[in-house]
Amino acid sequence: MSYLTTSLLIGFLSLDTTIAFQVLLSQPLFACPLIGWALGNPQLGFEIGVILQLLWISIIPVGAISFPEGNIASMIVAAIVIYFDHLGYPNIIFTLAILMGILASYVGDRLTVLDRKFNGYLLEVALSAAEAANLRKIVLVDFLSIAFYFFLMFGFTFVMLNVADFCIQALMPVFNDMLDQKLQFVKPAVFGIGFAFTGKLFYQILVKKSTHR
Amino acid sequence: MARPDSVKEGETLAPRKIRKWDLFRVFLRSFFVQSVWNYRSLISIGFGICLFPILKRLYPDTRSRKEFLLRHLKFFNAHPYMVSYALGVSIRLEEEYASGNLQNTDRLDRMKDLLISILGSLGDQIFWLTLRPVSLLVGAFGVFVASTVEQRVAVLILTFLLYNIPHLYLRYVGILEGYRYGMEIYRCFREGRFEKLKKGYLYLGVAIFFLFLGVLLVKFKVEQFAWIPVIGGAAIYASIFYKFSKNFYFTCLFTILFFVIVGFIFL
């Protein structure tokens, strides 16, 4: 499966985050195995999905706040790890992928803000359509907004996958078994961070009874 | 907003009844309620579009349609699932207004304003803070424990149902109840109505969290013993770092960096 088709799949799945449905399909636990399936390695997709789900489980998409876009980031991480699994350096690839994933979650957040600003422009169009009681135009605005978000996430994923490809190709000469061995703590560390955030979330709900935002 | 000119004071229009099919169409559209989320009117466009089947049913003339659209494109926000209650109430009041049983739409506007905080808070508490993290944690635990792809797929299906049965139920029932109760919607939010659901999931979540930790210890003790102190250390390091930095990105980056250094020193 090419980067283009993978990006299309990720762009489509990312709609589930806030734009449409919101039935968990974009969550790492579901999205990573789906990407694993598409790329021919569902087991690795499941493994990445569990680790990253814990990491981003406490991120709550409440109202107007901006939050790390863990879903798109997880999908990008899963795709990178599965694409480069054949190199035989799982720890190096995972480390690079998770670093890119953290960057992706930040950029994804900024892109969501951009999308919401663009939607502010669409509101003007919708209001003028409402003045003319033009229902079709308002529906068109809706489709345009969904399409904009889709292409934003699709394009972003496509760029990230190509950047990852470039970085990994460029760094290939320094990859070796010893380096891979030294990076073997990264995966359990990410697991640990996930447990810390998950524990914190339950602690807040049970003990503090406050809203985690 | 005043009634249209064509309707005289005290006059009752021929009743225009909403059908159940209309409510179901609103339900289907509600999956896209947040699609045009923006900083000025939040979810109002999605909310308005959800009500299009009602608009078409109740208002045949352009002027009424225009007023309807401008009414619902005003600022509005709610939790994307619990918004169904606001949709139901709006449908009921619009129906009354179109039939002449409601003199103006001020009550509808006020009601929607009131529902913003109630539905937002309820939805956040029930879904974002309880059902979603608990369902995902149960799913993560199940996938972690399961060994074959088939078992893991079964776990994902169960997780999907664990979350989406209450989600879809409240999304649909919210429209029906909102439509049924109208201005008396507060009866749906009586004290403790959602408490059982919330508490049940919460206890399940806490139990699974500790079970997950226990299974993790047993599994890695046999397979990858070195992972246990790293997971524990990373959890403590990340908790402390986050307490002071309050920054998700830095917490992740510096914890990973710390364990990269640890790996270089000890391996």
Side-chain angles (χ1 to χ4, degrees), chain B residues 26-249:
Chain B
V26 172
F27 164 72
L28 293 179
R29 284 163 180 257
S30 76
F31 287 98
F32 299 90
V33 73
Q34 288 203 132
S35 55
V36 203
W37 202 106
N38 64 84
Y39 289 108
R40 269 181 56 207
S41 73
L42 304 187
I43 65 166
S44 73
I45 300 179
F47 189 87
I49 290 173
C50 286
L51 293 172
F52 276 13
I54 307 304
L55 165 78
K56 287 176 183 167
R57 176 76 60 205
L58 297 177
Y59 301 109
D61 62 294
T62 308
R63 187 177 165 184
S64 307
R65 286 187 171 194
K66 177 188 155 187
E67 287 173 355
F68 178 99
L69 289 170
L70 292 175
R71 254 197 312 279
H72 292 289
L73 288 182
K74 278 190 282 188
F75 175 90
F76 183 70
N77 196 28
H79 185 275
Y81 306 163
M82 302 300 279
V83 73
S84 57
Y85 285 93
L87 285 169
V89 171
S90 299
I91 294 166
R92 171 69 179 269
L93 296 182
E94 286 291 354
E95 188 185 40
E96 287 182 8
Y97 179 62
S99 308
N101 296 328
L102 195 68
Q103 290 305 311
N104 57 52
T105 54
D106 294 349
R107 288 173 80 189
L108 170 61
D109 292 339
R110 280 203 301 274
M111 194 66 192
K112 275 177 70 182
D113 286 344
L114 271 174
L115 286 173
I116 289 175
S117 58
I118 298 169
L119 297 178
S121 166
L122 263 178
D124 290 350
Q125 292 290 331
I126 297 170
F127 288 101
W128 290 167
L129 281 164
T130 311
L131 266 66
R132 199 176 74 161
V134 168
S135 304
L136 290 171
L137 187 65
V138 170
F141 173 68
V143 170
F144 182 75
V145 173
S147 50
T148 64
V149 171
E150 289 77 16
Q151 286 173 352
R152 289 176 165 181
V153 171
V155 167
L156 285 193
I157 292 169
L158 285 175
T159 307
F160 188 82
L161 295 175
L162 185 69
Y163 180 73
N164 284 305
I165 287 174
H167 156 212
L168 295 176
Y169 173 78
L170 278 178
R171 209 189 256 273
Y172 188 58
V173 164
I175 296 174
L176 298 182
E177 290 190 343
Y179 178 64
R180 183 176 164 202
Y181 290 110
M183 293 297 283
E184 292 180 12
I185 189 71
Y186 60 87
R187 287 164 65 178
C188 298
F189 309 130
R190 65 184 181 274
E191 191 76 27
R193 184 184 175 192
F194 302 107
E195 271 310 295
K196 271 188 188 168
L197 177 76
K198 238 175 73 180
K199 274 190 177 163
Y201 271 75
L202 200 55
Y203 291 144
L204 175 70
V206 174
I208 292 291
F209 181 72
F210 286 109
L211 196 63
F212 203 155
L213 283 175
V215 170
L216 196 87
L217 282 173
V218 174
K219 196 170 177 181
F220 288 153
K221 198 176 166 186
V222 180
E223 294 170 11
Q224 287 153 302
F225 183 73
W227 276 41
I228 296 173
V230 176
I231 291 173
I236 295 167
Y237 185 96
S239 301
I240 296 169
F241 197 95
Y242 188 78
K243 194 174 171 63
F244 292 106
S245 70
K246 299 278 178 220
N247 187 306
F248 176 83
Y249 306 107

Side-chain angles (χ1 to χ4, degrees), chain A residues 17-25 27 29-30 33 37 42-43 46-47 50-51 53-57 59-64 67-69 95 98-99 102 105-106 109 112-113 115-117 119-120 122-124 126-127 129-136 138-139 141-142 145-146 179 181-193 195-202 205-206 209-213, chain B residues 29 31-42 44-46 49 52 55-56 62 65-66 69-70 73 77 80-81 120-121 124-125 128-130 132-137 139-141 143-144 147-149 152-153 156-157 159-160 163-164 167-168 171 202-203 205-206 209 212-213 216 220 226-227 230-232 234-236 238-239 242 248-249 251-253 255-256 259-260 262-267:
Chain A
T17 303
T18 51
I19 301 295
F21 305 113
Q22 293 186 289
V23 289
L24 295 187
L25 281 183
Q27 291 293 325
L29 190 67
F30 289 84
W37 241 296
Q43 283 289 19
F46 276 114
E47 191 189 320
V50 170
I51 296 173
Q53 185 61 71
L54 292 178
L55 187 63
W56 275 293
I57 207 167
I59 304 295
I60 314 288
V62 178
F67 53 88
E69 276 286 353
T95 306
I98 195 72
L99 292 176
I102 292 166
S105 71
Y106 176 75
D109 168 36
T112 303
V113 172
D115 175 66
R116 289 172 170 186
K117 285 182 179 166
N119 286 345
L122 290 181
L123 173 69
E124 295 297 332
L127 285 172
E131 288 286 348
N134 188 340
L135 303 188
R136 276 191 186 174
I138 298 175
V139 172
V141 161
D142 199 36
S145 172
I146 295 171
L179 180 66
Q181 171 95 358
K182 287 184 185 300
L183 293 175
Q184 65 173 285
F185 284 164
V186 174
K187 205 179 271 185
V190 175
F191 226 136
I193 302 168
F195 270 110
F197 283 123
T198 309
K200 181 177 159 289
L201 177 71
F202 282 110
I205 301 169
L206 282 169
K209 303 254 180 198
S210 65
T211 308
H212 176 77
R213 289 178 183 222
Chain B
R29 284 163 180 257
F31 287 98
F32 299 90
V33 73
Q34 288 203 132
S35 55
V36 203
W37 202 106
N38 64 84
Y39 289 108
R40 269 181 56 207
S41 73
L42 304 187
S44 73
I45 300 179
I49 290 173
F52 276 13
L55 165 78
K56 287 176 183 167
T62 308
R65 286 187 171 194
K66 177 188 155 187
L69 289 170
L70 292 175
L73 288 182
N77 196 28
Y81 306 163
S121 166
D124 290 350
Q125 292 290 331
W128 290 167
L129 281 164
T130 311
R132 199 176 74 161
V134 168
S135 304
L136 290 171
L137 187 65
F141 173 68
V143 170
F144 182 75
S147 50
T148 64
V149 171
R152 289 176 165 181
V153 171
L156 285 193
I157 292 169
T159 307
F160 188 82
Y163 180 73
N164 284 305
H167 156 212
L168 295 176
R171 209 189 256 273
L202 200 55
Y203 291 144
V206 174
F209 181 72
F212 203 155
L213 283 175
L216 196 87
F220 288 153
W227 276 41
V230 176
I231 291 173
I236 295 167
S239 301
Y242 188 78
F248 176 83
Y249 306 107
T251 304
C252 294
L253 281 175
T255 310
I256 290 169
F259 282 94
V260 166
V262 169
F264 269 89
I265 294 170
F266 292 102
L267 295 173

